């Protein structure tokens, strides 16, 4: 069954176009190394919570927007190989393609798919 990498980040709203360009470039590389799907979503209805929420989790500032992203891989082995290749690819190094957001507040993780309908 598929394996998913998921991400949540706070991106300066003024950097939307830079973020889209950055993500588009990254998507090409991830697909080259085995990802079957690469999805980036710009927050539209992401409310603050009382105990926890996406904005709270990434310490979203008033001039930032929450983004939610995921990458689909055929399986964990493909993800592990592909992710290593992505991290070594010169097209995605910080000096070549810097992240247009604070990477220290990026939340990410790998997930095994247990239900898909």
């Amino acid at each position: 069954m598929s394996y998913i990498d998921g991400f949540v980040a706070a991106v300066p709203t003024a950097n939307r176009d830079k973020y889209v360009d950055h993500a588009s470039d990254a998507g090409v590389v991830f697909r080259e190394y085995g990802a079957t799907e690469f999805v980036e979503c710009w927050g539209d209805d992401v409310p603050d919570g009382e105990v926890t929420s996406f904005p709270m989790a990434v310490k979203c500032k008033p001039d930032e927007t929450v983004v939610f992203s995921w990458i689909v891989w055929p399986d964990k082995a493909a993800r592990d190989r592909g992710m290593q290749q992505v991290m070594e690819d010169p097209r995605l190094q910080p000096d070549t393609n810097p992240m247009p957001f604070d990477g220290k507040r990026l939340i990410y993780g790998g997930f095994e798919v247990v239900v898909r309908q």
Side-chain angles (χ1 to χ4, degrees):
M1 184 149 311
S2 300
Y3 194 82
I4 310 294
D5 280 314
F7 309 87
V8 180
V11 177
T13 304
N15 285 356
R16 180 182 171 136
D17 291 342
K18 287 180 185 176
Y19 183 81
V20 170
D21 290 344
H22 172 82
S24 296
D25 292 345
V28 169
V29 176
F30 276 91
R31 297 289 304 250
E32 281 181 22
Y33 293 122
T36 59
E37 190 173 5
F38 184 92
V39 180
E40 294 282 345
C41 305
W42 191 260
D44 178 58
D45 183 13
V46 187
D48 288 319
E50 291 183 29
V51 177
T52 190
S53 65
F54 282 124
M56 291 170 70
V58 294
K59 298 183 180 179
C60 193
K61 298 173 185 172
D63 64 341
E64 295 178 323
T65 300
V66 173
V67 297
F68 176 62
S69 312
W70 65 92
I71 304 167
V72 180
W73 301 91
D75 53 41
K76 188 172 188 307
R79 179 268 200 161
D80 290 347
R81 280 190 311 275
M83 191 62 80
Q84 181 176 352
Q85 292 170 304
V86 166
M87 293 299 133
E88 295 170 355
D89 194 292
R91 293 171 289 178
L92 296 185
Q93 297 307 307
D95 57 330
T96 306
N97 191 359
M99 293 187 298
F101 60 94
D102 181 1
K104 292 178 184 172
R105 291 185 285 143
L106 172 69
I107 297 172
Y108 61 91
F111 300 86
E112 178 185 340
V113 175
V114 295
V115 176
R116 178 176 244 152
Q117 298 180 350

